[in-house]
Structures are given as structure tokens and as C-alpha cells.
Amino acid sequence: MLKPVYLTEDDAVAIIDQRRLPLEVVWLKLRAVSEVAEAIKTLAVRGAPAIGIAAAYGVYIAVKDFTEGYDAFYERFRKAKKLLASTRPTAVNLFWALDRMERVLKENPLLPVHKLVKKLRAEAVKIQEEDLESCIRMGELGAELLPDGARVLTHCNAGALATGGYGTALGVVRKGYEKGRVELVWVDETRPLLQGARLTAWEMEYEGIPYKVVTDNMAGFLMSKGMVDVVIVGADRIAANGDTANKIGTYSLAVLARHHRIPFIVAAPVSTFDLSLSRGADIPIEERNELEVLEFRGVRVTPKGAKAYNPAFDVTPSELISFIVTEKGVIEPPFSKNIEALLRNEDKV
Amino acid sequence: MLKPVYLTEDDAVAIIDQRRLPLEVVWLKLRAVSEVAEAIKTLAVRGAPAIGIAAAYGVYIAVKDFTEGYDAFYERFRKAKKLLASTRPTAVNLFWALDRMERVLKENPLLPVHKLVKKLRAEAVKIQEEDLESCIRMGELGAELLPDGARVLTHCNAGALATGGYGTALGVVRKGYEKGRVELVWVDETRPLLQGARLTAWEMEYEGIPYKVVTDNMAGFLMSKGMVDVVIVGADRIAANGDTANKIGTYSLAVLARHHRIPFIVAAPVSTFDLSLSRGADIPIEERNELEVLEFRGVRVTPKGAKAYNPAFDVTPSELISFIVTEKGVIEPPFSKNIEALLRNEDKV
């Protein structure tokens, strides 16, 4: 199974450089937390769950070689955590994974530091393992929602590359295809960075799942012709009421799906929920460099002097969402109530 | 005033090579009808009105040097017309302009051929001049529909480059800006061929009209944030009921505009109407080479083996259109009735 990030036996953070896919498959071995931060910032590793995992490994390698006292050790951890938390603002899994790593320190103030280091390593690996299990579970639950012969439209890449392995939205596609329910995947190319054309297409090609790439502006046409049965996307952060931040363009798809009465499914692990935010309008939206729009894979396409706007995410209000598939169960409307119920149950487990 | 196509004094069809804009400004001088057909097919000249004009010049240069008898001359004309008509299927202005040129022959069977040649030249030039006048008139009529401080979103290029000069949708923008009503133009980049990022941005830059380029999938986000006051697009063919074929992605914008209660305006000369088609579903939609989606400017973005789908146009049902601006007046719903009334009136003039 393809894992876009893992910890090597000698404690390097290995990542597949997603900026260079699909034409080159290059693995990087990162040995400093600053390198991990840079890899997240520049999208060498991307996808909400995957950056959470990379960050967990990142704080681990930042502190693993130090054996000073608890306070100095914690201070070092905190600095690394701050650096990693500053890389990208929207996906909450990043902060969730870092907080989970910090809990190891908080809960073990009396443990010798070399034992803390071991515990941190185990926790980071566990975050990845749990994510993979979650994805497979989401795949099973989500596949049940697919009609037979489904033509699925997806946006960006919520696949193995975006997670600990297997994928969220593409996990549902994988499992659905395995069960013979998926006929075709429409892959939105997902400008400006083409995560669909580059990464999702690469995963579909790798798995032999039938797919066609389309430009983002073709979705409405496909729906109007009855060529799309269901839309499935991942998520970067979900507010308490179900409003969902995801890659720019997701909101347009949700409006189009509603107009054509096509189910719109979000697949995301429970670590994607941010119950501190009551609604999606409070989710911070990353704005990226305008050159990503003005250029196309480094080829300038706009005139000298051109300006662009480049929000990297948008928020889909929960009214436009049919189901949220998590590893703990499928959530249906009314979302506020049902999200709370599912997560409360989760806390008890 | 920029004209993307014109007839030189020595009877070459001069066109600005729109494939190479905005980074290079290269003019081509075409001296054979086959060259004109190739230029239309490969989008060196594009935009519904502009390809009508180029085709009119094309049939003229195909026959201008022949002085055989009427029947042989007509046969030569017909062959050239057939070649040009085969270049692109969707924009009706192409067929309209060719039919208008043929009418010169039909109506003057007794004229000496050298006089017919002169008449054909004059007719082709007149088609361009009338188109320019129409665009300016549409600009005036359309600008009246803009709110003060309008932030206008447009798709593809319906500008000077797409017409005899001045533009349809961008004619409205130009005139609106001149009147102080346009604050900002959101330029959809318009994948796969980036006519927005390349051509509309170039025209806006040239005119000093404030604009920002966005990827096509950002339109919904902009609308949800209240950053778009009106959407204006051109058209390639309008059926008798007002259903409008235009660049792929237009339909998605129309659905989004309706969802956000934003006016959606189509600007097109009356030559764009095809009353032989009662509804948009009958408009032929050009499908182009999948490489346009799989690559960009020769840069491969998708994995080896990838497949794509590439419809070049879509159809927006008239229910989603607020106004159709023509040079003869602004048409409001109910469109079937009002289109017929306007065009009947036009026939009388």
C-alpha cells in the first residue's frame, strides 16, 4: 500500500515529493524539523491527514536526540510545534496531531526524557496507523452509499497521497470499485496546483480504476448531461454545524450537485472536526501566492503586470452536504445534533 | 482600436495569432483559404464573431483571382465555403457570415465575375464594420444594466480579440468602465486553453481596467463572499428560446449566479441567434482533443496513460439568463416571445 509519508528505521521522515508527481517519483528523507516544515509549506507533502502525520513525525525528530531535563525538553518540543503549526492555517488535522503529541508530554511529567522520546515515536507511528485504519473503515462505510455503476466525481486529491495511506474520498472510491460499484471516476483537475490531474489521476492509473480527467469548469456540464451519480470529496476542517472547508472549488461543486439533485458526500476522519468553531465562516482560509494562478507549472500564462487572487480553500455550508462519512459512522442531517452525538460517543470509547 | 483580424490592402487576411498571446504578439498574413481554415481550426483566430469575419475574408480570397464564368466561379466559392464551414461546429456566426457572402452571388447572377469579386470584398469588410458598430452599441446598452461600482465576473474572452473589435461581453465592460461603473473585473482563467488568463487579461492590461485573474473553480467562493455583482459572458449560438451555447464553464457560472441571486448577462450580436433550433439541446457541441486537458502548452501534467474528456462548449438554459444584450436592444424574459419580436422587427428594417 502506498504511504506518502513514513518514519524510516533510522528516524528520517520519508516523503514522496508530491510537487514532482506524476512525471517523477522522488522520495525525500527529511532529518530536521525545519525540513519537515518546509515540505508542508511547499506542498511536497499535502492533504489534511498526511500533513498531520508529517507534523507528528516532525516534532518527534525535533526532540529525539536530546536528553536534557523535562522542562528544557518540553521547551524544545514547544518551539518545534510552533514552527510546524505555522506552516498552513486551514487543515485542522495539523493542530490536532501536534496537540496529541503534546499530550504525551503533558501526561508524563515524571518520565525520564529518553522514555518520553520512545513514547513520542510510538504515538506518531500510531497516528499514522490509526489514520490508515480509519481510511479503510471510511471506505467500507462510504461504499455502502454508492449506487451500482456509480460515476463518481471527485475534486483535488483525497487519496492515499493525502493521508496515512488509502485515502478518504478515494478510499470510498477504492472500496466501491473493489465491490464492483464504481463504473467511472471523473477527476477534476483542480487548478491552480492540479492535485486532481497530477495526483488523483496517478492513483487511479496505479490502481487500474477507470477515470477521466476534466477541467474544473466541466462539472456542471457533466451533471446536466446525467453523467455524474455522486460527488465525493475530502475535508480540511469541519465546524460543529457540519460546514466543511476543503480545496477551492468544492463549494461550487456542492452548489452544482444540489441544483442537479446529486448526492454530495464528504469523507473525513473525526480528527477533521473542529468543535471550537460553531460554523464554517470562522475557519481561516489560506491565501497563497498569486503566481500559482498566473503561471501553469512554471509556464507563465498571463500578461506582464497581471494580478491574481488565490484563496486555497472554500467553505461548503452543511445544508449542501448529503452525508459526512467518518471512521466512526456515517453522519446525516441534521448535522449539528448528529455530529455532537457521534463525537460524544467517540469520547466515551 | 485593436482588430484581431482585417483584410490588408493587398488582400491578405491579417490575424493576430491568439495561440501565442499574451507573451508574444505575432501577426500572420494568410493568402490562401486553406490557411484561413487552419487558423480557425487551431484557434489562431477564435471567438464567434471573429471567426465569422475571418471566414468571410476567407471565401473572398478563395475566389478573388478567378474570372471564369458565373457557374464555375460559384462552384469555386461553394468549395471554399464548405471547407471553412467544416472548421468548427458550434458558433453559428461562422455559418451566418458564409451564408451572407453567398447571398451576394445568389442575388447577382447576371453580374460580371470581376464585379462580383468587388461586391464580395465589400460585403466581407461590411460584416466586420457592422460587427464593430454592433459591439459598441451593445456596450452602450449593456453598460446601463451595470450597478455603480460593479465587480464583473467574465469567462473566456468575449473581447476585441473575439470580434471585429471592441468585444461583446468586454464591450459592455469597456463602456461600463468608461462611464465609471466598473470597479473590478474578475477574469476566469478558462481552462483548458486559458482564453481568460491569456486574452482577457491582456485586453484589460492594455486598457488599464482593474482586474484579477482567478481559476475557474473560484467563482462560487467569490460569489458566496459577495465579491461579484454581475456575470457577463458572450455566446457562440443562441436558440430560439434563448438557450445559449458558450465556452465550457459558462453553464456552471449561470447555476452559481442563480444560487447567489446575481444577474447573469449574455452579450451577443443578432447574428448569434439560430432560430432554426427551438432549444439549446439541439446545438452541436464541439469536442476537442483530450491533449488540451492532459497537457498545457506542451507541458504534460497528467500521468502516462491518462484519459480526458474535452467538450469545448456547454449550453445555459434561458431560465438562468437575466438579460441578452444585442445591438438591437436588450432582451428580457420571456425569451422565446421577446427574441422573436426583436428579430422580426430586425427583418423589417
Side-chain angles (χ1 to χ4, degrees):
Chain A
M1 164 118 31
L2 174 76
K3 291 183 183 180
V5 52
Y6 65 91
L7 195 64
T8 65
E9 286 193 8
D10 66 337
D11 281 343
V13 183
I15 63 162
I16 190 167
D17 189 342
Q18 300 194 36
R19 297 166 301 190
R20 297 170 75 170
L21 287 172
L23 301 180
E24 294 174 294
V25 179
V26 176
W27 285 87
L28 305 177
K29 288 198 175 177
L30 314 175
R31 296 192 179 273
V33 62
S34 59
E35 291 176 344
V36 176
E38 193 61 17
I40 295 173
K41 215 175 208 165
T42 60
L43 314 192
V45 56
R46 35 64 52 202
I51 66 179
I53 293 161
Y57 291 141
V59 278
Y60 163 66
I61 65 168
V63 299
K64 74 182 174 66
D65 293 328
F66 296 91
T67 50
E68 53 222 324
Y70 179 83
D71 288 349
F73 184 81
Y74 203 145
E75 185 49 34
R76 195 174 289 278
F77 178 95
R78 231 190 309 257
K79 261 178 77 178
K81 184 186 173 203
K82 199 176 158 193
L83 173 68
L84 289 161
S86 72
T87 51
R88 300 196 67 196
T90 302
V92 78
N93 316 59
L94 175 67
F95 313 110
W96 169 86
L98 289 169
D99 286 343
R100 187 166 152 181
M101 292 295 282
E102 187 168 6
R103 222 180 305 143
V104 174
L105 296 194
K106 281 185 180 157
E107 289 172 358
N108 297 285
L110 302 178
L111 214 61
V113 162
H114 73 276
K115 289 202 172 166
L116 270 180
V117 166
K118 272 196 183 157
K119 267 197 182 294
L120 284 171
R121 189 185 204 280
E123 189 72 9
V125 169
K126 200 172 157 210
I127 287 173
Q128 175 154 24
E129 282 169 356
E130 286 177 9
D131 182 76
L132 179 55
E133 283 162 26
S134 293
C135 284
I136 292 168
R137 183 71 188 133
M138 276 183 265
E140 278 161 2
L141 292 169
E144 296 303 315
L145 301 172
L146 301 180
D148 273 336
R151 292 152 308 167
V152 180
L153 187 140
T154 189
H155 191 65
C156 197
N157 172 269
L161 288 167
T163 59
Y166 206 73
T168 54
L170 291 190
V172 174
V173 166
R174 280 194 163 84
K175 191 57 78 177
Y177 183 70
E178 199 183 301
K179 289 176 185 276
R181 290 191 164 174
V182 172
E183 189 179 301
L184 182 71
V185 181
W186 292 110
V187 176
D188 257 8
E189 66 171 8
T190 317
R191 275 282 283 157
L193 295 177
L194 300 168
Q195 292 93 337
R198 295 190 300 111
L199 308 178
T200 296
W202 188 71
E203 288 196 33
M204 294 298 96
E205 194 69 36
Y206 186 85
E207 304 262 330
I209 299 176
Y211 72 98
K212 280 191 183 175
V213 179
V214 287
T215 62
D216 301 314
N217 59 24
M218 290 174 188
F221 175 81
L222 296 177
M223 291 182 190
S224 75
K225 294 283 180 190
M227 295 160 85
V228 177
D229 300 303
V230 57
V231 179
I232 310 181
V233 297
D236 288 84
R237 194 184 300 212
I238 304 176
N241 70 345
D243 291 354
T244 295
N246 191 47
K247 179 57 54 201
I248 190 75
T250 302
Y251 169 65
S252 291
L253 286 180
V255 171
L256 288 164
R258 172 57 50 94
H259 185 82
H260 296 90
R261 299 174 191 283
I262 294 167
F264 184 89
I265 301 177
V266 172
V270 295
S271 56
T272 313
F273 287 89
D274 180 355
L275 300 189
S276 75
L277 303 181
S278 59
R279 56 198 196 107
D282 301 330
I283 299 174
I285 298 296
E286 178 179 10
E287 224 177 279
R288 295 182 60 86
N289 194 307
E290 65 176 356
L291 280 180
E292 292 179 353
V293 174
L294 298 173
E295 297 180 346
F296 197 101
R297 294 294 268 167
V299 179
R300 179 84 185 192
V301 292
T302 42
K304 198 164 170 289
K307 297 227 168 340
Y309 181 46
N310 188 15
F313 300 90
D314 58 28
V315 174
T316 298
S318 59
E319 306 90 79
L320 297 177
I321 298 170
S322 312
F323 302 103
I324 301 176
V325 177
T326 77
E327 71 275 32
K328 301 295 172 190
V330 174
I331 313 177
E332 294 185 37
F335 285 113
S336 293
K337 182 171 146 266
N338 292 340
I339 287 169
E340 205 203 333
L342 185 107
L343 295 187
R344 203 186 318 118
N345 186 36
E346 156 74 352
D347 284 344
K348 281 184 200 148
V349 173
Chain B
M1 165 117 29
L2 173 76
K3 291 183 183 180
V5 52
Y6 64 91
L7 195 64
T8 65
E9 286 194 8
D10 66 337
D11 281 342
V13 183
I15 63 161
I16 190 167
D17 189 342
Q18 300 194 37
R19 296 166 301 190
R20 297 173 73 171
L21 286 173
L23 301 179
E24 296 175 293
V25 179
V26 176
W27 285 87
L28 305 176
K29 287 197 177 178
L30 314 174
R31 297 192 178 274
V33 62
S34 59
E35 291 175 345
V36 176
E38 193 61 18
I40 294 173
K41 215 175 209 165
T42 59
L43 314 192
V45 57
R46 33 66 51 202
I51 66 179
I53 293 161
Y57 290 141
V59 277
Y60 163 65
I61 66 168
V63 299
K64 73 184 175 65
D65 294 329
F66 296 91
T67 49
E68 55 223 321
Y70 180 83
D71 289 348
F73 184 81
Y74 203 146
E75 187 49 34
R76 194 175 291 277
F77 178 95
R78 232 189 307 257
K79 261 178 75 178
K81 184 186 173 203
K82 198 177 161 195
L83 173 68
L84 288 161
S86 72
T87 51
R88 300 195 66 197
T90 303
V92 77
N93 316 60
L94 174 67
F95 313 109
W96 169 87
L98 289 169
D99 286 343
R100 186 163 153 181
M101 292 294 282
E102 187 167 8
R103 222 179 305 144
V104 173
L105 296 195
K106 280 185 181 158
E107 289 173 357
N108 298 283
L110 303 178
L111 215 60
V113 163
H114 72 277
K115 289 201 172 165
L116 269 180
V117 167
K118 270 197 183 156
K119 266 196 184 294
L120 284 172
R121 188 184 206 280
E123 189 72 8
V125 170
K126 200 172 156 208
I127 286 173
Q128 175 153 25
E129 282 170 355
E130 286 178 7
D131 182 77
L132 179 55
E133 283 163 26
S134 293
C135 284
I136 292 169
R137 182 71 188 134
M138 276 183 266
E140 278 160 2
L141 293 169
E144 296 301 315
L145 301 173
L146 301 180
D148 274 334
R151 291 152 309 167
V152 180
L153 187 139
T154 189
H155 191 65
C156 196
N157 172 270
L161 288 167
T163 59
Y166 204 74
T168 53
L170 291 190
V172 175
V173 166
R174 281 194 162 84
K175 190 58 79 178
Y177 183 69
E178 197 183 302
K179 289 177 185 276
R181 287 190 165 174
V182 172
E183 189 179 300
L184 182 71
V185 181
W186 292 110
V187 175
D188 256 9
E189 66 172 8
T190 318
R191 276 282 284 158
L193 295 177
L194 300 168
Q195 292 92 338
R198 297 190 301 109
L199 308 178
T200 297
W202 187 71
E203 288 197 34
M204 295 296 96
E205 194 69 37
Y206 186 84
E207 304 262 330
I209 298 176
Y211 73 98
K212 281 191 183 174
V213 178
V214 287
T215 61
D216 301 315
N217 59 23
M218 290 176 189
F221 175 80
L222 296 178
M223 291 182 190
S224 75
K225 293 282 180 191
M227 294 160 84
V228 176
D229 300 302
V230 57
V231 178
I232 309 179
V233 297
D236 288 84
R237 195 185 301 210
I238 305 176
N241 69 346
D243 291 354
T244 295
N246 192 47
K247 179 56 54 202
I248 189 74
T250 302
Y251 169 65
S252 291
L253 286 180
V255 171
L256 288 164
R258 171 58 49 93
H259 184 82
H260 297 90
R261 299 174 190 283
I262 294 167
F264 185 88
I265 301 176
V266 172
V270 295
S271 56
T272 314
F273 287 89
D274 181 354
L275 299 189
S276 76
L277 303 181
S278 60
R279 55 197 197 108
D282 302 329
I283 299 174
I285 298 295
E286 179 180 8
E287 225 179 278
R288 295 182 61 85
N289 194 307
E290 65 175 355
L291 281 180
E292 292 180 352
V293 174
L294 297 172
E295 297 182 344
F296 177 69
R297 296 211 151 188
V299 179
R300 180 82 184 193
V301 292
T302 42
K304 197 163 171 291
K307 297 227 168 342
Y309 180 46
N310 188 17
F313 300 91
D314 57 29
V315 174
T316 298
S318 60
E319 307 89 80
L320 297 176
I321 299 170
S322 313
F323 303 102
I324 302 175
V325 177
T326 77
E327 71 275 33
K328 302 295 174 191
V330 174
I331 312 176
E332 294 184 36
F335 285 113
S336 293
K337 182 171 145 265
N338 291 339
I339 287 169
E340 203 203 335
L342 185 107
L343 296 187
R344 202 188 317 117
N345 185 35
E346 157 74 350
D347 283 344
K348 281 184 198 147
V349 172

